[in-house]
Amino acid sequence: MSDYRGRAEDWLAQDPDPATRDELRAILDAGDEAALADRFGARLEFGTAGLRGELGAGPNRMNRVTVMRAAAGIAARLLQEPPPDDEGAGVVIGYDARHGSERFALDSAAVLTGAGLRVWLLPRPLPTPVLAFAVRHLGAAAGIMVTASHNPPRDNGYKVYWGDGVQITPPVDAQISAAIDAVGRVDELPLGEGWTVLGDEIVEAYLHALSHLPLGDARDVSVAYTPLHGVGRDVLERAFAWTGFPAPAVVPEQAEPDLDFPTVAFPNPEEPGVMDLVVGLAASSGADLVIANDPDADRCAVAVPGRDGGWRTLTGDEIGGLLAEHVLRHTTGRDRLVVTTIVSSSLLGALAREHGVRFAETLTGFKWIMKAERPGDRLVYGYEEALGYSAGGDDGVVVLDKDGIGAALTVAALAAEAGRDGRTLLDLLDDQARRHGVHATAPLTIRVTDLDLIGEAMARLRAAPPSRLGGRDVEAVDDLSDGAGGLPPTDALRFRLASARVVVRPSGTEPKLKCYLQVVHPVGDGEDVDAVRARAAADLDRLRDDLASAIGLS
């Protein structure tokens, strides 16, 4: 443990934050070897998802030292390239309202300007899609968003975009990581001043861009909305007003940014119970539609009145299919490209064939979705099942990342258009099911405290894959670590069954194993779609049970 103690003392000597210094000094004084090992026995790894982790002292936590080292690594990587103009490369920095976010943004600005780079800082806590938009709008060489998205309150993170406005992909992530490794003590880094704090014009530019979404002219829709204590409310309200939609009713208990997310155990709209307050508001106010953003407003969740008198939360794939068809109805051209991931519903491919447009499937993550465009393609829509959507009009997508504000606008436009025709979003889902079958999807997520368990489970599945799942024979197993189907290699397995599919992969940002299940059931002439959905749901339950047994983790 003397090595950990030595590292901790070195950390104390350079840490500019009195709170983490006090935390670490208390651990050292108490002789808490387990706490030292937890903080100094590993480090947060920088990858395509940037950094994300619990706040605290040490290299295995998010803190000012970790952030300053990351900023210095980004600066070193940027300075390896010739600047795009005589003024040199620039970086735009955004941040949310989490613990430490503003401080991390300011530290990053100081390190980057100290390295000789131009820096633009967003004027206040703002949604992630505003930052992603700003990278291209300002012609920046890179962008940094300080956010942990929908992680627990004690987490924070650091997301990096390159000059194309897309999150970094290999080899840039590895190059930045290597540059971070070469950074010395942060108290010896040159720190600069004089960065530019942007005004509200950057938000107005984003709102103007959203007005080019395929919003049609129907506006009669009432929305109940929650930002889940995050930073989405003000921008979403302005976006609705800017484009002529009625102001949404906002859940008062969740309207303001709150670092501790007091009304939810886990601020992710995919989690059970998280949307209860907004659904209650919708029911009491007679709203047509429920919309929720996650805390940094890059994701969008939707619920609609059910046929049984309650409310039905749509899956990410259901929203994805509805938005895709809306975009395709409101755009033209055979060069249009729609993109989703290998873990999302295969319905998008069927819709693309029906509409005569191009389709691509990528690895999980919007960084891959937005890299799918090739010469001659015009990317008009991309989505992933985890409530991430980017829509566009004839000029292509507005933001090259998940955009929960733009998605909310597009959903409102879709609902208003359907309502004008005397229909609902559930009716539109039934239409798709009758044409293409019920594409039922569901997740299986297994959380662990020991990350080694995930690697062991993946190794077991590779060595002895199940031959049957959910009463279906496993017809083929694709080991995506080999780069199957022309995809970049990734740690994932895909099991192909008759009219079904299962994908298993470790999460890239959290300690859990994520599994994605799909079954497809055709709908016969005159058959009740809800009855088919019930059969598909039962099939998914059987798949889930068998897969959980095969994985062997609880």
Side-chain angles (χ1 to χ4, degrees):
M1 291 306 301
S2 59
D3 186 38
Y4 293 149
R5 179 170 288 274
R7 293 185 209 172
E9 294 287 358
D10 181 66
W11 191 278
L12 274 175
Q14 60 181 306
D15 188 354
D17 190 336
T20 46
R21 287 201 309 270
D22 289 348
E23 172 196 334
L24 189 52
R25 175 53 62 194
I27 291 170
L28 286 167
D29 291 347
D32 190 339
E33 297 185 353
L36 281 178
D38 184 34
R39 287 160 176 77
F40 290 89
R43 67 165 195 167
L44 296 181
E45 294 293 335
F46 186 93
T48 58
L51 294 166
R52 195 176 294 186
E54 185 180 350
L55 293 161
N60 201 30
R61 296 287 190 275
M62 284 295 296
N63 50 65
R64 294 180 66 184
V65 175
T66 298
V67 164
M68 293 172 75
R69 287 174 56 82
I74 292 166
R77 173 60 183 82
L78 284 171
L79 291 170
Q80 293 173 7
E81 297 180 354
D85 54 51
D86 291 339
E87 295 184 75
V91 182
V92 57
I93 302 172
Y95 56 99
D96 66 10
R98 282 179 174 266
H99 290 287
S101 287
E102 183 177 13
R103 181 68 262 169
F104 293 164
L106 292 170
D107 283 339
S108 299
V111 170
L112 290 161
T113 53
L117 297 167
R118 287 182 296 164
V119 171
W120 299 276
L121 185 68
L122 294 191
R124 57 187 178 276
L126 285 167
T128 292
V130 177
L131 181 280
F133 167 82
V135 174
R136 285 200 301 165
H137 180 73
L138 296 170
I144 295 168
M145 182 67 194
V146 183
T147 180
S149 190
H150 53 269
N151 274 39
R154 286 296 302 168
D155 286 5
N156 213 324
Y158 206 72
K159 187 182 293 188
V160 181
Y161 298 78
W162 222 231
D164 58 0
V166 181
Q167 290 183 58
I168 56 171
T169 55
V172 174
D173 60 329
Q175 293 164 351
I176 293 174
S177 183
I180 293 171
D181 289 343
V183 174
R185 293 170 60 101
V186 300
D187 57 346
E188 296 175 356
L189 289 172
L191 302 181
E193 299 177 347
W195 53 83
T196 299
V197 179
L198 296 167
D200 194 60
E201 71 278 356
I202 191 63
V203 180
E204 291 204 355
Y206 169 70
L207 295 172
H208 177 74
L210 293 184
S211 68
H212 293 101
L213 289 168
L215 302 178
D217 58 4
R219 293 293 182 269
D220 186 9
V221 62
S222 59
V223 174
Y225 170 72
T226 178
L228 288 181
H229 301 294
V231 296
R233 183 197 65 182
D234 290 349
V235 177
L236 181 134
E237 287 181 335
R238 290 177 65 182
F240 270 53
W242 189 286
T243 52
F245 285 95
V250 182
V251 176
E253 302 94 326
Q254 298 173 332
E256 296 292 336
D258 191 311
L259 297 75
D260 296 313
F261 307 104
T263 67
V264 291
F266 201 83
N268 181 352
E270 292 180 289
E271 295 289 327
V274 170
M275 291 178 63
D276 286 354
L277 285 178
V278 69
V279 167
L281 174 63
S284 64
S285 65
D288 303 314
L289 185 67
V290 161
I291 293 176
N293 287 137
D294 65 340
D296 70 325
D298 65 349
R299 288 171 170 82
C300 177
V302 175
V304 296
R307 291 170 176 146
D308 59 358
W311 282 77
R312 179 167 177 258
T313 301
L314 303 186
T315 69
D317 283 314
E318 287 175 330
I319 302 166
L322 290 174
L323 289 180
E325 193 148 25
H326 178 78
V327 168
L328 292 175
R329 285 198 309 268
H330 287 269
T331 56
T332 59
R334 298 186 65 84
D335 62 339
R336 289 171 293 168
L337 173 68
V338 294
V339 185
T340 191
T341 71
I342 58 171
V343 304
S344 302
S345 171
S346 60
L347 174 62
L348 185 60
L351 292 172
R353 290 188 294 273
E354 179 185 18
H355 287 267
V357 303
R358 301 172 186 182
F359 167 72
E361 207 173 46
T362 72
L363 296 183
T364 306
F366 253 77
K367 57 186 173 288
W368 298 114
I369 290 173
M370 292 300 154
K371 293 284 190 181
E373 193 173 37
R374 295 292 180 262
D377 292 338
R378 180 163 43 98
L379 179 59
V380 295
Y381 180 69
Y383 98 91
E384 61 182 2
E385 42 63 55
L387 303 178
Y389 314 94
S390 182
D394 279 323
D395 292 333
V397 294
V398 173
V399 176
L400 299 185
D401 195 16
K402 299 183 292 292
D403 181 2
I405 306 295
L409 277 178
T410 313
V411 168
L414 170 62
E417 190 174 272
R420 184 174 60 187
D421 297 336
R423 314 198 73 216
T424 69
L425 298 191
L426 295 184
D427 293 328
L428 301 185
L429 285 173
D430 287 353
D431 290 347
Q432 290 183 339
R434 291 189 183 97
R435 299 196 319 269
H436 301 291
V438 169
H439 286 63
T441 58
L444 169 64
T445 300
I446 302 173
R447 298 181 183 274
V448 299
T449 54
D450 182 355
L451 286 175
D452 290 341
L453 295 175
I454 291 178
E456 292 167 3
M458 293 297 292
R460 283 196 303 274
L461 288 173
R462 285 188 167 98
S467 59
R468 285 179 65 81
L469 288 170
R472 291 173 163 88
D473 290 337
V474 176
E475 297 176 347
V477 180
D478 301 323
D479 188 342
L480 301 184
S481 65
D482 299 329
L487 296 168
T490 189
D491 186 10
L493 292 166
R494 179 170 55 197
F495 301 91
R496 288 186 277 161
L497 306 89
S499 300
R501 184 202 66 202
V502 172
V503 180
V504 181
R505 71 175 185 93
S507 170
T509 57
E510 299 173 81
K512 58 190 183 185
L513 191 67
K514 302 186 75 173
C515 311
Y516 309 83
L517 291 66
Q518 175 183 266
V519 298
V520 181
H521 278 236
V523 179
D525 290 343
E527 193 170 12
D528 180 68
V529 177
D530 283 337
V532 179
R533 286 197 181 98
R535 292 201 301 272
D539 277 359
L540 286 174
D541 287 342
R542 286 189 287 271
L543 266 181
R544 186 186 289 109
D545 291 344
D546 285 359
L547 182 62
S549 296
I551 290 170
L553 296 175
S554 58

